[in-house]
Amino acid sequence: MTHDTDHGWLAQAIDLAVANVAAGGGPFGAVIVRDNLLVATGQNRVTRDLDPTAHAEVEAIRAACATVGAFSLAGMTLYTSCEPCPLCVSASLWARLDRVVYAADREDAARGGFDDREFYELFARDRATWPTRIDELRPTHAGAPFDAWMDHTARVDY
């Protein structure tokens, strides 16, 4: 499938989100495109799959990586029905997408009961104020996995 404009790809992401609501899922949809051709789609599967990471964007990234047989999606664009949350922004960065285009914003999401504004601000705050405790416990061999990685001659750098 191809579209002539960003608007066409965003419309498809929005249609996926609306269809997902009708199927009992969350109101989020995403498509990944390369050279104006559809590579993969994703819909929010958090409640269906009992997976808090199964956001539409992450699902689309997973599907695109499986389709192209690579962990890098360089040269591709993610179109998503809503501004990506910090999890999805991070996944987009790790996937090396060239571009992310979204329709609704975080304020629209908050109005719909998906208020992740706190997460946008979380990383700027002291960890002691976070809702989940993050503790470092550093045994003497804490760096061993990275030593093994650096010594492994057949590693695939990313």
Side-chain angles (χ1 to χ4, degrees), residues 1-2 11 35 40 51 54 71 93 97 101 104 119 127-128 130-131 133 147:
M1 173 178 271
T2 65
D35 298 327
D51 179 354
F71 58 81
L93 293 169
L97 287 158
V101 181
F119 295 132
R127 279 190 184 175
W130 291 12
R133 250 176 77 180
D147 294 338

Side-chain angles (χ1 to χ4, degrees), residues 62-132:
R62 290 172 178 161
C65 289
T67 296
V68 301
F71 58 81
S72 174
L73 300 179
M76 299 185 202
T77 299
L78 168 68
Y79 293 91
T80 180
S81 62
C82 188
E83 180 178 4
C85 72
L87 168 72
C88 296
V89 169
S90 296
S92 297
L93 293 169
W94 277 110
R96 290 158 180 75
L97 287 158
D98 281 10
R99 186 171 173 229
V100 175
V101 181
Y102 64 89
D105 66 14
R106 64 184 80 175
E107 300 304 322
D108 295 307
R111 183 177 57 81
F114 297 89
D115 191 355
D116 55 7
R117 291 176 290 198
E118 179 180 337
F119 295 132
Y120 290 97
E121 301 163 1
L122 182 68
F123 295 112
R125 297 194 328 242
D126 184 299
R127 279 190 184 175
T129 67
W130 291 12
T132 300

Side-chain angles (χ1 to χ4, degrees), residues 38-64:
L38 180 66
V39 175
T41 66
Q43 293 170 297
N44 182 282
R45 302 292 190 214
V46 170
T47 56
R48 187 196 78 177
D49 295 351
L50 305 177
D51 179 354
T53 68
H55 293 200
E57 299 89 341
V58 173
E59 293 293 297
I61 289 168
R62 290 172 178 161

